[in-house]
Amino acid sequence: MRSSLAPGVWFFRAFSRDSWFRGFILLLTFLIYTCYHMSRKPISVVKSRLHQNCSELIKPINDTHSLNDTTWCSWAPFDKDDYKELLGAVDNAFLVAYAIGMFISGMFGERLPLRYYLSAGMLLSGLFTSLFGLGYFWNIHMLWYFVLIQICNGLVQTTGWPSVVTCVGNWFGKGKRGLIMGVWNSHTSVGNILGSLIAGVWVNQHWGLSFIVPGIITAAVGVLTFLFLIEHPEDVDCTPPQHHGGPDEDQDNAQDPGNGPYSNRESGLETAARCSKEACEEPAAISFLGALRIPGVVEFSLCLLFAKLVSYTFLYWLPLYISNVAHFSAKEAGDLSTLFDVGGIIGGIVAGLISDRTDGRATTCCIMLILAAPMMFLYNYIGQNGITSSIVMLIICGALVNGPYALITTAVSADLGTHKSLQGNAKALSTVTAIIDGTGSIGAALGPLLAGLISPTGWNNVFYMLISADILACLFLCRLVYKEILAWKSSLTRDRGSNLVLTHPR
């Protein structure tokens, strides 16, 4: 029995058990969202295969195209001069459906078991990703087929983000949330890298496999999710996290023996045990308008709209840009574009670490966005001068563009979803996450669409559009940055006052 154990032994066992389960949940949710992003990436790699320069290739003997046809190797209907607009339409079919579905998905995520909701979403996402690739083997050349598949895939993929953030938020408190989620959020970049590498294996031969293989992997992980995902620490008698820890609260806990780490575990387990025996009234899920009233939700949502516009434009158009400007093959351009995601991993971790140390989420995002604007300008002008400069600039741009995006969609969403104004109602987390990411997804839909419309006028104009969006993202954070600066000043004033009292006691 627990009472027969020495306190130190009991604490060691409890800590080990909690740490093991938290590590497992972090790893499983990391794998889940890696698969979601892995299944989104192949379209950006395959684009340069759907429409390519056929003059450098040898026409097959049994080919029926005329001798003067320069698009014989492209895939209809993307073999016409307006192929960029058609590819942009395919991108937007996914992104618009994703943006619309995200606002609805968060409310479903709070009312349905996350394990069922997430595993069903992964199975369907794997199916629709594979169906896109099967268009190659079924010899489908109708635009509506690819658009319809992307719409369906965009809708089912909205099950992913609110669910995984809610699950991680249930398991991890606020203490080092920025660093933990910064490392965890590298699943986005890892998924993009894996998607690019897998798609690159088959892009020049049977490009349909570039979609089918990620689709099968995603569905397989969906089965693992159904079997092993644990939504709440209380489900396995683990300690629920504290979402509102801070210096003042820590001091109160130290003075009050009833608020220490042991009592937190005891109260959490006793509450879970009591609720298993008698019906406990669960807090009602928060409304959409109620979530919007949480301080900071609107500002971060609008900032993410423009930050995600920039990030997803790179996600969907970077391989084609590299192929057109640097004249690399489809596989080489896809492989090189993964360096942008390598930078994104670094940027997400650095942003989380700095924001934890400074307690300034908005300021960290704003500074990185300010630095990203000139770096994107330099990449466009000197990034293709050589392979070394291209590698360095891609990593730097990836870190500065994806760092704020990663921080807002993870630690910021979890902070706001467990805000003290909610008085412990954890059911707001999924809705808040969906609102922030859903608003960001509107930008994710606009970015590739604008890139498809603007790129025929020159890639320089695309980068001017991205820089403008980056500046707008900064502007929406100005009020929150000002509040954080005032909070730092107030904290410094209190610290100086405390030091004076200690130095000159009465």
Side-chain angles (χ1 to χ4, degrees), residues 159-186:
T159 58
W161 190 242
S163 300
V164 294
V165 172
T166 299
C167 192
V168 173
N170 289 340
W171 280 88
F172 290 89
K174 192 175 181 181
K176 294 182 179 179
R177 184 179 277 164
L179 176 60
I180 291 171
M181 286 194 157
V183 175
W184 173 76
N185 191 65
S186 62

Side-chain angles (χ1 to χ4, degrees), residues 7-149:
V9 175
W10 174 83
F11 177 78
F12 177 77
R13 290 187 178 182
F15 179 79
S16 299
R17 176 183 174 82
D18 288 354
S19 298
W20 191 93
F21 273 105
R22 283 192 171 93
F24 172 75
I25 293 300
L26 209 62
L27 179 62
L28 181 58
T29 51
F30 181 95
L31 182 61
I32 289 169
Y33 215 70
T34 294
C35 290
Y36 273 105
H37 259 266
M38 176 185 65
S39 64
R40 298 176 195 176
K41 186 64 177 178
I43 184 63
S44 67
V45 177
V46 174
K47 275 179 182 176
S48 54
R49 173 65 180 82
L50 297 177
H51 187 99
Q52 58 183 331
N53 185 2
C54 304
S55 61
E56 300 175 357
L57 302 176
I58 301 174
K59 186 180 294 188
I61 298 175
N62 59 349
D63 192 81
T64 58
H65 290 81
S66 66
L67 294 175
N68 296 326
D69 189 354
T70 59
T71 62
W72 62 266
C73 63
S74 299
W75 188 267
F78 307 105
D79 56 346
K80 305 295 189 295
D81 292 337
D82 62 344
Y83 72 98
K84 288 184 180 179
E85 289 83 353
L86 297 181
L87 291 171
V90 172
D91 290 341
N92 268 279
F94 176 92
L95 294 168
V96 171
Y98 186 86
I100 295 172
M102 184 59 74
F103 290 104
I104 305 170
S105 180
M107 291 181 281
F108 276 114
E110 287 179 359
R111 292 162 174 81
L112 296 173
L114 288 181
R115 184 165 64 93
Y116 298 149
Y117 190 53
L118 195 52
S119 55
M122 295 195 75
L123 289 170
L124 289 172
S125 180
L127 171 65
F128 289 120
T129 302
S130 299
L131 284 173
F132 194 102
L134 287 171
Y136 171 83
F137 295 100
W138 293 342
N139 204 28
I140 295 175
H141 297 278
M142 294 171 289
L143 180 65
W144 66 264
Y145 173 84
F146 299 106
V147 169
L148 181 62
I149 293 298

Side-chain angles (χ1 to χ4, degrees), residues 172-313:
F172 290 89
K174 192 175 181 181
K176 294 182 179 179
R177 184 179 277 164
L179 176 60
I180 291 171
M181 286 194 157
V183 175
W184 173 76
N185 191 65
S186 62
H187 52 52
T188 299
S189 298
V190 171
N192 292 340
I193 292 169
L194 286 176
S196 296
L197 295 177
I198 292 172
V201 173
W202 291 284
V203 65
N204 290 324
Q205 289 82 34
H206 305 290
W207 62 258
L209 291 173
S210 298
F211 293 89
I212 293 173
V213 173
I216 292 173
I217 295 173
T218 302
V221 174
V223 175
L224 293 178
T225 301
F226 177 78
L227 295 175
F228 297 109
L229 184 68
I230 304 168
E231 297 178 28
H232 302 281
E234 297 88 342
D235 294 342
V236 286
D237 292 339
C238 286
T239 310
Q242 282 194 342
H243 292 294
H244 303 294
D248 297 335
E249 291 179 22
D250 292 342
Q251 187 176 1
D252 294 340
N253 289 342
Q255 294 173 354
D256 185 358
N259 290 333
Y262 300 105
S263 65
N264 285 334
R265 176 176 175 81
E266 293 293 341
S267 61
L269 295 179
E270 287 171 4
T271 300
R274 187 173 66 253
C275 287
S276 64
K277 295 178 181 178
E278 57 186 73
C280 285
E281 184 179 352
E282 290 191 2
I286 193 170
S287 67
F288 186 86
L289 292 177
L292 287 177
R293 293 191 190 101
I294 298 172
V297 168
V298 173
E299 290 92 337
F300 276 114
S301 296
L302 294 174
C303 172
L304 185 63
L305 187 151
F306 292 100
K308 207 166 179 180
L309 183 154
V310 177
S311 180
Y312 267 65
T313 302

Side-chain angles (χ1 to χ4, degrees), residues 221-458:
V221 174
V223 175
L224 293 178
T225 301
F226 177 78
L227 295 175
F228 297 109
L229 184 68
I230 304 168
E231 297 178 28
H232 302 281
E234 297 88 342
D235 294 342
V236 286
D237 292 339
C238 286
T239 310
Q242 282 194 342
H243 292 294
H244 303 294
D248 297 335
E249 291 179 22
D250 292 342
Q251 187 176 1
D252 294 340
N253 289 342
Q255 294 173 354
D256 185 358
N259 290 333
Y262 300 105
S263 65
N264 285 334
R265 176 176 175 81
E266 293 293 341
S267 61
L269 295 179
E270 287 171 4
T271 300
R274 187 173 66 253
C275 287
S276 64
K277 295 178 181 178
E278 57 186 73
C280 285
E281 184 179 352
E282 290 191 2
I286 193 170
S287 67
F288 186 86
L289 292 177
L292 287 177
R293 293 191 190 101
I294 298 172
V297 168
V298 173
E299 290 92 337
F300 276 114
S301 296
L302 294 174
C303 172
L304 185 63
L305 187 151
F306 292 100
K308 207 166 179 180
L309 183 154
V310 177
S311 180
Y312 267 65
T313 302
F314 275 100
L315 173 68
Y316 279 91
W317 287 92
L318 183 57
L320 185 62
Y321 168 77
I322 294 172
S323 179
N324 287 353
V325 176
H327 306 294
F328 288 155
S329 68
K331 185 181 187 308
E332 292 169 339
D335 291 345
L336 189 61
S337 70
T338 60
L339 294 171
F340 183 83
D341 295 298
V342 172
I345 295 174
I346 299 170
I349 295 172
V350 171
L353 181 61
I354 293 174
S355 67
D356 276 344
R357 293 287 181 87
T358 62
D359 198 22
R361 308 282 200 218
T363 306
T364 302
C365 292
C366 196
I367 291 174
M368 295 185 80
L369 289 167
I370 290 171
L371 294 174
M375 287 298 119
M376 286 190 288
F377 180 83
L378 288 175
Y379 172 66
N380 184 41
Y381 277 91
I382 68 172
Q384 310 303 329
N385 290 347
I387 189 66
T388 302
S389 63
S390 183
I391 290 172
V392 172
M393 293 302 297
L394 276 172
I395 293 175
I396 294 174
C397 287
L400 295 175
V401 168
N402 284 340
Y405 161 41
L407 186 63
I408 293 172
T409 54
T410 54
V412 170
S413 296
D415 289 349
L416 296 176
T418 55
H419 194 267
K420 59 185 179 182
S421 64
L422 298 171
Q423 299 179 345
N425 182 4
K427 280 185 169 290
L429 185 53
S430 183
T431 297
V432 169
T433 302
I435 289 174
I436 292 176
D437 199 52
T439 306
S441 298
I442 296 173
L446 285 175
L449 173 64
L450 292 174
L453 296 174
I454 297 173
S455 57
T457 67

